[in-house]
Amino acid sequence: MRSEKASLLKNIPKVDKLLADERLRDFVNNKGLRVVVVDCAREVLNRIRNDALVGKLEQIPSDEEIVGEIRRKVEANLSYSLKPVINATGVILHTNLGRAPLSKVALENILRVSSGYSNLEYDLLKGERGRRYVHVERLLCELCGAESALVVNNNAAAVMLALKCFAQNREVIVSRGELIEIGGSFRMPEIMAQSGAVLVEVGTTNRTHLFDYERAISERTAMILKVHPSNYRIVGFTSVPSTSELASLAHKHELILMEDLGSGCLVDLSQYGLYGEPTVKSVIEAGADIVTFSGDKLLGGPQMGIIVGKRKFLEPMQKHPLLRAIRVDKLSLAALEATLKLYVLGELEKLPVFRMLAQDMKTLRRRANEVAKAIKKLLGEGADVWTMRSSSKVGGGSLPQAELESFVVAIKPHKLTPGELAKRLAKVDVPVVARIQDDALLLDLRTVFPEQQKVLVESVKKAVGQD
Ligand SMILES: *Cc1c(COP(=O)(O)O)cnc(C)c1O
């Protein structure tokens, strides 16, 4: 037995011999890649050696097979890790899939501004150093009806900056029904602790009254914080004071009222049949001093934390040293300016988020039928394929209860479970992320762009076809 293994091991080819193989020549001749090829070759040979030692191999694979494996490894190494996927989940603002897709105008502006130099922090009229925030300030003030505006990396950073600036070592009053967690890493109590603010919880999970806030006010209080329940709803016997009630209370005691809106919507969504997401403007009008929200949720722009409100509260934040650590880059600013311009021009149909929201059942049904037909044709007897009514979600911590009527393609492969099909779909060239319900894999066309339909069908074919 021992000698059998020894002779097996002796048959493992040397790295140098493999590197000389002409099928690896293009890689090896590239100076930068040589190291990668050597690493991959060692990895493959180590695996073969280990398999031989534990008796998993009866004979060493041929040089041709080994070279093929090395090539595939090098190619996988060279391919992009971050890449486009097709979102067939029906969740429009999917945090794991990058939230809002950017509009073409935003992408073109990124290219226009970032391929060369720009006036990012240069005042062209004065010929001297300027501020990067001026490029979006006026637009944000206009669209939100606010006196002043500031942008940072994301909404978590926006909340952190405001707390640090106004509530460090002081108390912030929050309703127990609003101590939220968003997507794992944003937990309101933890952000508060990090900022040095002292959390004072009031009320109960389902009901908090104005008098709960009033009783909690002391000389240590800096702020009342209202948090929009963006990814959940407390329903039934519930009540919380409105923004204007809290504003009156806060101002009577010379406190700041801050509202974390989460998604931050700039237009009334009831035109899309969606209710319950307040516009930023309405919250400013109701008297909030500072309002924070994300750029990449319902706004449909880049990852960003947007802060709008009264000038006297924005100024200290604009001068705070923490701002430097959470400042936005030129790519995001270019994307945001272009996105905001679409709102000013009333061209919302140019924002992918709104196009997806606005799709009607007739269109979704037609598109689902097209895709189902193409998939049926490709898979033949390999799967049951049908279309049916279903519902999509807005996602991204917005409108948790809103269900958008939708039409989906259902696939039930004969030789695979829907879970196995989903796994395979994640591995093809253009990966597809789908939903599983009961025994079928569902493709929700609402979040699949029309120009992706062909590729979607191709990806399904590859996933079902591979063995
Ligand atoms: C999404 C959300 C956040 C976090 O925003 P990011 O931009 O992801 O940092 C904070 N608060 C609320 C209410 C949210 O909905």
Side-chain angles (χ1 to χ4, degrees), residues 95 99 153-157 159 180 182 186 188 227-231 260-263 292-297 303-305 396-398:
T95 296
R99 288 197 186 152
N153 244 325
N154 53 27
N155 189 22
V159 174
I180 57 157
I182 308 277
F186 181 94
M188 198 40 99
V227 186
H228 188 59
S230 43
N231 54 358
D260 172 11
L261 265 185
S263 206
T292 73
F293 53 101
S294 299
D296 54 355
K297 291 186 179 171
Q303 179 189 306
M304 190 82 88
S398 337

Side-chain angles (χ1 to χ4, degrees), residues 233-246:
R233 284 283 183 275
I234 294 175
V235 294
F237 185 57
T238 68
S239 111
V240 281
S242 67
T243 300
S244 60
E245 286 171 315
L246 286 176

Side-chain angles (χ1 to χ4, degrees), residues 62-132:
S62 69
D63 283 6
E64 187 165 350
E65 285 172 292
I66 297 178
V67 165
E69 195 178 331
I70 296 171
R71 255 205 97 87
R72 283 194 297 278
K73 247 193 186 344
V74 176
E75 276 161 3
N77 240 298
L78 289 178
S79 71
Y80 283 100
S81 167
L82 182 59
K83 57 187 165 192
V85 307
I86 293 179
N87 174 8
T89 64
V91 181
I92 297 176
L93 298 168
H94 199 301
T95 296
N96 304 143
L97 303 183
R99 288 197 186 152
L102 291 177
S103 67
K104 224 169 147 193
V105 211
L107 294 171
E108 282 163 2
N109 205 35
I110 291 177
L111 201 66
R112 194 177 66 90
V113 165
S114 317
S115 336
Y117 299 103
S118 67
N119 61 338
L120 178 66
E121 282 191 350
Y122 189 79
D123 186 326
L124 291 167
L125 290 179
K126 292 189 188 148
E128 60 187 41
R129 193 198 152 109
R131 295 169 57 244
R132 65 179 59 213

Side-chain angles (χ1 to χ4, degrees), residues 269-336:
L269 288 182
S270 56
Q271 53 181 312
Y272 299 100
L274 297 169
Y275 303 89
E277 201 65 35
T279 63
V280 180
K281 201 172 203 157
S282 71
V283 175
I284 291 281
E285 272 168 10
D289 300 302
I290 302 170
V291 180
T292 73
F293 53 101
S294 299
D296 54 355
K297 291 186 179 171
L298 279 169
L299 195 135
Q303 179 189 306
M304 190 82 88
I306 300 172
I307 313 174
V308 294
K310 303 211 169 109
R311 188 169 294 113
K312 69 171 172 183
F313 297 119
L314 269 284
E315 258 167 18
M317 287 193 265
Q318 281 152 349
K319 289 185 188 133
H320 197 283
L322 179 62
L323 181 61
R324 179 62 181 79
I326 53 175
R327 80 173 184 193
V328 293
D329 67 308
K330 60 187 175 192
L331 279 68
S332 311
L333 278 168
L336 185 67

Side-chain angles (χ1 to χ4, degrees), residues 9 20 65 131 135 165 185 205 208 230 306 343 379 443:
L9 291 176
E65 285 172 292
R131 295 169 57 244
H135 307 295
C165 204
S185 53
T205 305
T208 304
S230 43
I306 300 172
Y343 280 91
L379 300 187
L443 304 173

